[in-house]
Amino acid sequence: MSGKSLRNQTRWSAALQPNYGTPSLAIVSGKGCILTDVDGKKYLDFLGGIATNVLGQAHPAVVSAVTRQIKTLGHVSNFYSHPGVIELSEELQKLVGDKTARVFFCNSGAEANEAALKLSRKTGRTRVVATQGAFHGRTMGALSLTGQDSKRAPFKPLVPGIVHVPYGDIEAMKEAIDSDTAMVILESIMGEAGVVVPPRGYLKSIRKFCTKHGALLVIDAVQTGMGRTGDWFGYESEGIKPDIITLAKGLGGGLPLGAMIACGKASKLFKPGDHGSTFGGNPVACASALAVIKVLKKERLLSKSKKHGEIICKAISGMEGISEVRGRGLLLGIVTIKPIAVSLRDALQERGVLVNAATEDVIRIAPPLIVTEKQISKFVKVFESVLKEVLRD
Ligand SMILES: *Cc1c(COP(=O)(O)O)cnc(C)c1O
C-alpha cells in the first residue's frame, strides 16, 4: 500500500464513524467502467457502486443533464412542483405500465421501503410478511423488514408485527399470509444475500395469495430495477403486477434518488400530510434519472444486459472451483465450492478488478450496463487466473 493510500485510511478513521470499517481503496475519478485510485492505479469496475451506476461514471448524458439542471434550478422542496419531477413520474408510470401508478420520491432504498411500510398501515392492518435473508435497508422500519439477524439483533426492539418466512418457500408464504396481512415484501432476486434466485412460479403464487387476502404485494426492486436483470424491473420475469414497487440504486444514475410507486387502490392510501421528504424528487436527481432512462432505451441496454449476463455465465460456470453462476442480466452471483469469496475479491482488486464478496462463497458482480464485450473478456480472463491462484494457495 502506498503512503498516499495509508494516509487516506488514517484520515478516514480519524474523521468518519467506524460503521463501514476503513475502506482499503480510495477512488478519485472514473470514466465509464474504469475507476482510478489515489495512486493513479486503474480498476475495471464490476460492482458499479453496488448495482447503482447503470451508466458508469461521468456518462456524457448524465453530466450534461445534471449540469444544465443545477444551473437552472437546484432544489425547491415539495412545497412547489417543477417540470422534472412530473416528467420522471410520468416516465415511471409508463415503465410500470399502469396509469393508476402514483410515485413518491425519496433519496434511498431504505426510505422507499419505509414509505411502503407506512403506506401499508393505511390499510388499517398492521401485520407484514417478509423473507429470511432479505435486505430492505438499515433505518428502523426498513431494518424491521430486513431478514438478517446479524444486522437486526443490536437494534431490537424493532417494528412489531413483521414475520420472516424462508425465501423461495411457497408453502411458508401461503401459511403466513392471511386477512390481517397489510403487506408482503420481497426481492425478486435477493441481491445482498448473494444473488439468490427463487424457484419458478414463486412470485406468481405470492401474487395469488396476496390478492386472495387483500394484502399489498410490495416488490423491492431497489437492486433488481432499472434494467439490471434485463427487464425494467426484476419481477417482470414472472409477468406479475405488484401493488407497490420500490426503487433506488440504479434510478438516479449515481445521484441519491429513491421511489415508492403504488398502483391501483394502494395509490390512494396516502392523504396530504401523511408522508414527506425535503429532498425527495430533487430537480438535479430527477434530471439525472431522466437521462438514465433515455440512454437505457436509446442504447438498448436492457437486452444488452441480458446478453452480456449470459456471456459471463457461460464463460465462468465451467471453471474449476465454481459450483454455479446464478442471477439474471448483469446481477450475477458466482458461487465457489470453497469459502474463498473474500480472498478472491481481494486478489481481484490487487489485479485491478472490483467485485463484491456477498457471502463467504458468493462473488457478486453488478457492472454498469454500458460494460463492453472487451471489458467482459478482460474480466473473465483475470477472474480465471485469479481463481486458479486462490484455489492453489
Ligand atoms: C441496497 C438495497 C436497499 C437499501 O438501499 P439504501 O439506498 O442503501 O437505503 C434496499 N433493498 C434492496 C433490495 C437493496 O439492494
Side-chain angles (χ1 to χ4, degrees), residues 262-277:
C263 303
K265 275 189 201 146
S267 69
K268 299 193 177 81
L269 289 172
F270 272 159
K271 301 290 179 253
D274 276 343
H275 196 48
S277 162

Side-chain angles (χ1 to χ4, degrees), residues 108-111 113 135-138 187 192 220 222-223 248-249:
S108 68
E111 284 173 76
N113 290 325
F135 185 73
H136 298 298
R138 305 280 203 154
E187 300 168 77
E192 298 298 303
D220 177 346
V222 167
Q223 187 154 161
K249 292 200 166 85

